[in-house]
Amino acid sequence: MGTSAAVNQIYAHFSHMTGRFLSVRRKTEDLCLPLTDEDCCLSVMEETSPPKWHLAHSSWFFERFVLQKFKRGYESYRPEFDFLFNSYYRRLGSFVPKFKRGVLSRPTRDEIYQYRHFITESIMGLLETIKPEDEGKLLKALEYGINHEEQHQELLLADLKRNFFENPLRPQYLGQVFSHSEISENKWQTFNEGPVKVGIPIEFQQFSFDNEKDQHQVWLERFQLASHLATNDEFLAFMDEGGYENPRFWLTDGWDLKEREKWEHPIYWEKQGQNWWTMSLSGMIPLELSAPVAHVSFYEASAFAKWKSARLPTEAEWETAARLEKKVGVFLENGPLEPIPSQENHQVFSQIHGSVWEWTQSSYRPYPRYRPVSFGMTDDNEKSMCNQFVLRGGSCLTPTDHYRVTYRNYAYPQMRLMCAGIRLARDL
Amino acid sequence: MGTSAAVNQIYAHFSHMTGRFLSVRRKTEDLCLPLTDEDCCLSVMEETSPPKWHLAHSSWFFERFVLQKFKRGYESYRPEFDFLFNSYYRRLGSFVPKFKRGVLSRPTRDEIYQYRHFITESIMGLLETIKPEDEGKLLKALEYGINHEEQHQELLLADLKRNFFENPLRPQYLGQVFSHSEISENKWQTFNEGPVKVGIPIEFQQFSFDNEKDQHQVWLERFQLASHLATNDEFLAFMDEGGYENPRFWLTDGWDLKEREKWEHPIYWEKQGQNWWTMSLSGMIPLELSAPVAHVSFYEASAFAKWKSARLPTEAEWETAARLEKKVGVFLENGPLEPIPSQENHQVFSQIHGSVWEWTQSSYRPYPRYRPVSFGMTDDNEKSMCNQFVLRGGSCLTPTDHYRVTYRNYAYPQMRLMCAGIRLARDL
Amino acid sequence: MGTSAAVNQIYAHFSHMTGRFLSVRRKTEDLCLPLTDEDCCLSVMEETSPPKWHLAHSSWFFERFVLQKFKRGYESYRPEFDFLFNSYYRRLGSFVPKFKRGVLSRPTRDEIYQYRHFITESIMGLLETIKPEDEGKLLKALEYGINHEEQHQELLLADLKRNFFENPLRPQYLGQVFSHSEISENKWQTFNEGPVKVGIPIEFQQFSFDNEKDQHQVWLERFQLASHLATNDEFLAFMDEGGYENPRFWLTDGWDLKEREKWEHPIYWEKQGQNWWTMSLSGMIPLELSAPVAHVSFYEASAFAKWKSARLPTEAEWETAARLEKKVGVFLENGPLEPIPSQENHQVFSQIHGSVWEWTQSSYRPYPRYRPVSFGMTDDNEKSMCNQFVLRGGSCLTPTDHYRVTYRNYAYPQMRLMCAGIRLARDL
Amino acid sequence: MGTSAAVNQIYAHFSHMTGRFLSVRRKTEDLCLPLTDEDCCLSVMEETSPPKWHLAHSSWFFERFVLQKFKRGYESYRPEFDFLFNSYYRRLGSFVPKFKRGVLSRPTRDEIYQYRHFITESIMGLLETIKPEDEGKLLKALEYGINHEEQHQELLLADLKRNFFENPLRPQYLGQVFSHSEISENKWQTFNEGPVKVGIPIEFQQFSFDNEKDQHQVWLERFQLASHLATNDEFLAFMDEGGYENPRFWLTDGWDLKEREKWEHPIYWEKQGQNWWTMSLSGMIPLELSAPVAHVSFYEASAFAKWKSARLPTEAEWETAARLEKKVGVFLENGPLEPIPSQENHQVFSQIHGSVWEWTQSSYRPYPRYRPVSFGMTDDNEKSMCNQFVLRGGSCLTPTDHYRVTYRNYAYPQMRLMCAGIRLARDL
């Protein structure tokens, strides 16, 4: 490739990244349009953060890892923000503990927006004046920041739903209308034994997180995977047959937790008279039987699978199947922020991309030849690689551009905050 | 007294109560003027409630105990408010638990204000149309509601201070300037033994809470009471002499708590370099050495007293002394919402009214012939009469009209939320 | 009094004390005769200590406060015992925390007995060689140690009952047979208003704890006191009328605790089929309806009183009544270690001495002119004077010689370990 | 094989099993010889059980799963033992919760031994009279019971060590003398990439637990494994270089736990003056620098590995290496119940069998085609397959006969109770 072609390519990349940057920044703010000032300050549990914090933290990230690194003589917008909006990056010094984020009635929403706009404009200014030798690194950092902000878009909505659920009024974030669908039938798809490739090659240029690397070989035994996600209807059947009362179905740790916290159904479900309702970002809505069950923990997913005489897939099994489907599905931009019934726009595996994160039975551990990549930025992913399970596939709250088939999300087995559901597998 | 004189008297009483009602309602809202919408939603611990909740709850109280009782055919403003803004009144059904009040980003501040104004106007309308036979009861209920709202004015500010303290920015509620004063000297005042009268006679007409009744006789032994409140200067000396490190000074329960929670100074104090600062409603301010120490728990007060070879007074001792001073002092309306140095405008006992609540060594227990008075309203005071100590004297956050010399406040010995200080006593 | 008379008197006192010492030492060991080695090591909760610890600690007390102080050149029996068997005496340095006492499988029971006998003999040797000028102090220390060991005799049995109750086999400590009695009727006894004297004069020679001093005057209003203790029969009626389900009867702190710990009856009660049984030191026995209710907390006692439209007495009221009865009753030495029905061997107040400790409504606070007396020995009583209530009257587990009418026991309102019951009072 | 040869083979098998049964039963009792009655009752934390419970529970297991199943008309020795000595087998009904096992001062040690002997003799009687068609099943059940009792032999000693450690006297279980050795040097052994076989084939006759099956293929990348276990000397170097203070080395969950529980060294280590000591079953002994570090949690092992720029092996890597060494090492029967320095009696991998359990980085999850095998006996292994990591290799407390190279032990990452150490691996 000749020099000018290379320059052109960098320029194209540059221009593309600038566009993505502006669009991501705008979208985070758009997501907050329906919120009152009070909503922006809302967080009543340790697991969640208030919208205002997400708004500020995603800006702080650009300030800390782009502006402070690449803009000569850059001075902090307000030094105390470094303390307030740092999150878990222990290496960077102290920070406001998560359970205290709800205390930030000040700085006000307006002040946060001023901060955002200052950061966005400073980055744009920086891009115009960047030295050629820094371009590569800068683009990498920018790309990381964009992906980071996209993660927080999903968290912002998931956290909001959880906190709104605590309010006895069950407020609406938006006023969506849902329509009913027939339940389409699950079919078992068989895969033969043999070696498969999992993950992204280390040398690959496309953005990905360090935990998706290195591509490596895994030997799969013969197995079957469900064409469809488990539905609310099926989960109700599990409940009706005593699923929450029978220790036979449950992992011991899950059973003990369930007993202690008195779980009797998925977190957002509520029975009113004879009918089940569920919390959504449109407030309480009637439970759509043909929609995928959502917001279940690994423990619930695993008990359901056992009741079905099946199991959860490994992530290698899941990835092998998902590579057969194009990335089409219900994501943040094209859906009602809630899983909906199967739309039958797939080859074999319905809703394998988008809709709900799918629990795998794989512990979240490093791939072979894993190298933590932090480029000085953050605590690396490796620190979290304990006690968590991998989730795959993206959800109706995930930004489309953020997701790819190798994407590894992860959560503790008790977590029900993220929009997670179930696709079954079984041995032959 | 002739009939028309009686009518006139009732009318005067009526007119006076109407005036107090409007003024109290207005004042609560005035107290919230410096707050942002986000501040109004702020409460990050179980011990406190957000300003919006205080605004709404004090209205709910009038709705529930005046409008619903005296206004024929009255319908709830919004039925769900009965659930949201009921507090601890178990007899009236379920309610939002205290630690969840911070979740109420909705209803918004505007909606709460509309609610307040609706209630205020409805009460005013009711007063114009009340039937003569209900007048007496109505006035009693109204008076109770007014006193109740005054209590919440103090709580609103104390809670706000506590929550602002959690914010690393330490926001200001108002921008007060404090001036320095010399420390005036404490003198011990001697009282001889003999019988004294404590409390308010049951038949007394003036408003008081049930816990101030019945007036009864107590035998006092000879004792001395300090003319002045313990100052920050004296408390620093206690700290400098290892007050927080020496179990000899402490009650066992207090020591164990102090160790567990790692107390090393009063809650709002903070050392910056060589100097001590303290949280106030004007943000962090330099510690004024000659001002009374404030926001100490019973445990700290008691350890300080022991270190001084003194003790805390009983409430009978305190009341006997306080009756010698007119009700002049620093209250909500005439001070900087913070205790200030002694102003020497007293006969013998400086700042015995206002400034800081004064811990007594008396457990909060019923007076002889105590009769719980709830007039169907509330959980009676008796239910709290366990494990708490009596505080006397009002504070710089107490509305002047709310306070009288027989007033019994109370708190658990570990509490540091209310603006409480120390006046010493000793045996002879 | 002539010199030789004085000498004779000291000698008589001396000889009496020696006798008491030997008899107390023997009795503690006799109480352990029915126990296996494993029982002696048993303690499975923080509130209790194992028998072996009581055996050793009461010896350690004599070693530390008598032998080490009065025996020239005395060397510790085993230095590590100072650490193992010190209890809460913070001033004397570190100690094994209470919840760890169950860990002491070593030293073995035999080693503990050797320790006991060594101490007993050393004390006896000391008494023979004591210098005349030390005699007074020594006797005081010895007397304190004797009283201390008597306290631990009661604790040993109460702790054992609690721990045996945790064993699903509900072992027997002894095999007592209980006979049935008719219920004798309660009568209300009226007392007129006026001043009474409470406590023991400071200058009094007879042994008493510091918390019983100084005698002082209290003004009583007219009141009535129940002639009989509340019975199991009456307590069952309270339960049958929803006593444990109705918040109206309960102090708020008590209600919250009861809900949290799911109390539905006194701790040792258990329903088998249609009949109630209760844990005793003879294992599970049928509940004797006419016996006094026992092992209730202050919260339960207070709720029961409220249900009866009565209240608990103050300790001044109780002491005034108890002075009318001779010290006759069911104590450790003359009963089945369990409260039994009223024996009608009283003037007016049945079982006011012995049987069960009687909850008063008085917070455990110092008497006027209280002076902590530790003679260098212990943490003084004053440190505990917070959050506890006074219990009066001794119990069926209290050594007779240990008790007197001014004796003040105390406990936190939630405690159900000691054998405590209810005598009601009411206003007129 | 002719009939008589088959009969002979069964008979030989039978006779072998009988011998193992008697020998295992005797050994458990032999292990308790050095214990006092009080020691046998000792358990002061939820994680451990008292020796008496292990003695009884391993008998109960034979009663419940052999005698009750195969002996016609068998009646329980004492029905309450079914409740007392059942452990976690939820399917079989209720049981004494683990934290309460320390309460069982009764039944006494003597009663437990009578129970043991009754069960042993009943089994022997049963073996003589068994019907031919039951022989196969009976032998399987017996073998399971023998392996179960062997597991409890290790637990008994590990629990005892933990509980003795709580006693400030640090009692000795036995009086072993340890001799010093030179530190032998670790070498990295390289393995090439390729497929390996892991686990035991399902059809295999030799006893194994269900979690070791089915044998399956795993693809290994090139890696290196340490020839020697990490030593105390190396772990001290980790500590000296701030291992416990630097979050960089730690998994987030581990760091948080370490901070909360204030870990600063392995659980049994204690510094006295300049020297480190460690708790052993011979009481406190000087830390032998060349011995393998033991009783470390997964978190500590993982931090140590990170500090060494290495990692823990996967279980497939470990098993591949361990198959190269014969089963020779320090086990329960041939060592001082404590890891000792490398004896150089190996080919390549020192102490890979015995000495200490070796943490792997593999989450404890089912092998492909795993089928829970409970033969009606127990909760299956599958219920535990969450949140735990696999340990391999046996320890100095493991009975030799109990262990094989495919054996999978497992524990939560925070556990330090079992004698577990570290063998490092690294990528190439």
Side-chain angles (χ1 to χ4, degrees), chain D residues 244-245 254-263:
Chain D
Y244 279 86
E245 287 90 50
W255 178 261
D256 292 347
L257 179 75
K258 178 196 84 56
E259 289 287 287
R260 209 163 51 241
E261 304 200 347
K262 303 195 199 320
W263 293 359

Side-chain angles (χ1 to χ4, degrees), chain C residues 54-313:
Chain C
H54 289 294
L55 284 163
H57 168 70
S58 52
S59 299
W60 167 86
F61 195 97
F62 283 112
E63 182 177 30
R64 185 73 175 71
F65 298 117
V66 179
L67 291 173
Q68 289 190 9
K69 269 180 92 170
F70 296 97
K71 183 157 184 180
R72 196 188 316 234
Y74 179 79
E75 287 184 21
S76 276
Y77 177 75
R78 281 173 60 180
E80 67 269 31
F81 282 16
D82 211 44
F83 171 72
L84 292 180
F85 301 123
N86 179 357
S87 60
Y88 51 92
Y89 305 115
R90 291 201 171 74
R91 291 189 194 166
L92 304 176
S94 63
F95 54 93
V96 179
K98 207 168 175 191
F99 67 89
K100 271 197 170 186
R101 290 176 188 166
V103 83
L104 300 176
S105 68
R106 319 278 181 96
T108 63
R109 186 188 200 173
D110 279 351
E111 292 175 278
I112 299 294
Y113 272 85
Q114 285 161 25
Y115 176 47
R116 282 189 68 82
H117 300 154
F118 176 83
I119 297 299
T120 303
E121 281 160 36
S122 301
I123 295 272
M124 291 308 289
L126 174 65
L127 289 173
E128 285 168 12
T129 62
I130 188 72
K131 288 178 295 179
E133 66 270 27
D134 282 349
E135 251 166 26
K137 277 191 201 163
L138 171 63
L139 285 181
K140 261 197 174 342
L142 197 62
E143 192 173 36
Y144 202 104
I146 290 166
N147 276 276
H148 174 262
E149 182 150 348
E150 286 169 339
Q151 287 182 310
H152 281 275
Q153 289 169 353
E154 176 156 8
L155 292 175
L156 189 157
L157 292 175
D159 290 359
L160 184 70
K161 189 176 184 177
R162 185 72 188 84
N163 281 299
F164 269 4
F165 184 62
E166 291 297 303
N167 187 329
L169 300 182
R170 304 283 160 76
Q172 286 198 334
Y173 164 75
L174 48 72
Q176 190 70 28
V177 177
F178 296 90
S179 59
H180 175 68
S181 306
E182 291 308 304
I183 294 179
S184 59
E185 210 162 327
N186 180 51
K187 291 190 194 67
W188 290 101
Q189 305 298 331
T190 304
F191 289 77
N192 283 322
E193 68 186 335
V196 298
K197 287 209 189 303
V198 171
I200 283 184
I202 273 175
E203 66 279 12
F204 217 64
Q205 288 303 309
Q206 189 207 331
F207 179 81
S208 64
F209 287 109
D210 59 4
N211 62 12
E212 301 168 59
K213 298 169 184 160
D214 187 13
Q215 197 176 63
H216 60 285
Q217 197 152 295
V218 172
W219 183 272
L220 296 185
E221 311 281 324
R222 254 164 81 81
F223 74 100
Q224 290 186 317
L225 193 70
S227 65
H228 283 63
L229 293 167
T231 61
N232 288 326
D233 194 50
E234 291 173 289
F235 205 85
L236 269 175
F238 165 67
M239 284 164 58
D240 288 345
E241 294 193 16
Y244 279 87
E245 287 89 49
N246 193 335
R248 203 165 64 80
F249 304 133
W250 292 73
L251 290 161
T252 302
D253 289 355
W255 179 261
D256 292 348
L257 179 76
K258 179 196 81 58
E259 289 286 288
R260 208 163 52 242
E261 305 200 346
K262 303 197 202 316
W263 293 358
E264 294 174 355
H265 48 72
I267 183 170
Y268 289 137
W269 290 22
E270 203 169 66
K271 198 162 193 176
Q272 299 177 3
Q274 291 307 303
N275 301 311
W276 284 97
W277 293 64
T278 190
M279 180 69 182
S280 74
L281 284 166
S282 305
M284 294 303 289
I285 56 171
L287 190 72
E288 168 62 59
L289 294 183
S290 55
V293 65
H295 292 288
V296 289
S297 65
F298 178 84
Y299 293 131
E300 288 160 302
S302 155
F304 175 83
K306 184 97 177 178
W307 170 75
K308 279 278 200 186
S309 303
R311 58 172 175 82
L312 300 175

Side-chain angles (χ1 to χ4, degrees), chain B residues 298 301-302 305 310-314 317 359-361 421-425:
Chain B
F298 178 84
S302 156
R311 58 171 175 82
L312 300 175
T314 65
E317 290 169 344
W359 282 109
T360 73
Q361 62 155 289
I422 309 168
R423 182 183 305 273
L424 296 177

Side-chain angles (χ1 to χ4, degrees), chain B residues 85-139:
Chain B
F85 301 123
N86 181 356
S87 58
Y88 51 92
Y89 305 115
R90 289 200 172 76
R91 292 190 194 164
L92 304 176
S94 63
F95 54 93
V96 180
K98 208 168 175 191
F99 67 89
K100 270 199 172 184
R101 290 177 188 165
V103 83
L104 300 176
S105 68
R106 319 281 181 94
T108 63
R109 186 189 201 174
D110 279 351
E111 291 174 277
I112 299 294
Y113 273 85
Q114 284 161 23
Y115 176 47
R116 281 189 69 83
H117 300 154
F118 176 84
I119 297 300
T120 303
E121 280 160 39
S122 300
I123 295 273
M124 292 307 290
L126 174 64
L127 290 173
E128 285 169 13
T129 62
I130 188 72
K131 286 179 295 177
E133 67 270 27
D134 282 348
E135 252 166 26
K137 280 189 199 162
L138 171 62
L139 285 181

Side-chain angles (χ1 to χ4, degrees), chain B residues 260-286:
Chain B
R260 207 163 54 239
E261 305 200 347
K262 305 195 199 316
W263 293 359
E264 295 172 355
H265 48 71
I267 183 170
Y268 288 138
W269 291 21
E270 203 169 67
K271 199 164 193 176
Q272 300 177 2
Q274 291 306 303
N275 301 309
W276 284 96
W277 294 64
T278 191
M279 181 68 182
S280 75
L281 285 166
S282 305
M284 293 304 289
I285 57 171

